[in-house]
Amino acid sequence: MELRPGHLVRSRQGRDAGAHYLVYRVDAGGSVWVVDGRKRPQARPKRKNPKHLEPAGLRADAVGDRWERGETVDEEQVRAALAQLVAAWAA
């Protein structure tokens, strides 16, 4: 699965193993930058190796589309989209 901005992922490796994030950006080199709206806001995204992420197959379309267009998104909107997707994934 190709990761795009707005996709829900869960960290499989590192100190943050088990944490849920939204993909913020994907570099040409393959690194994935993730945010959660709390500990990892858009101003300080976390760089992750895509091998260390478990994609959920769910995407926050409104948030991801805005990031792809280069627009900003409130951290509150990031947290709300993340919570909604995590709940859908758990169901």
Side-chain angles (χ1 to χ4, degrees):
M1 165 183 220
E2 180 183 341
L3 293 174
R4 292 179 41 214
H7 272 122
L8 174 65
V9 294
R10 180 172 36 205
S11 176
R12 291 193 286 183
Q13 297 284 315
R15 285 185 284 181
D16 64 342
H20 293 93
Y21 296 105
L22 289 180
V23 174
Y24 178 61
R25 172 174 87 225
V26 180
D27 285 344
S31 293
V32 177
W33 296 82
V34 296
V35 297
D36 66 1
R38 292 185 197 281
K39 186 176 178 183
R40 287 294 174 177
Q42 297 166 73
R44 286 186 333 109
K46 181 170 181 67
R47 185 173 64 114
K48 296 287 282 183
N49 183 329
K51 292 184 215 176
H52 299 162
L53 296 173
E54 178 184 356
L58 301 171
R59 184 171 185 262
D61 293 324
V63 173
D65 291 344
R66 289 182 66 186
W67 281 334
E68 286 180 337
R69 290 191 302 263
E71 298 176 11
T72 60
V73 177
D74 292 337
E75 298 301 335
E76 184 177 318
Q77 292 173 319
V78 172
R79 289 190 300 267
L82 182 63
Q84 183 179 19
L85 292 177
V86 168
W89 193 16

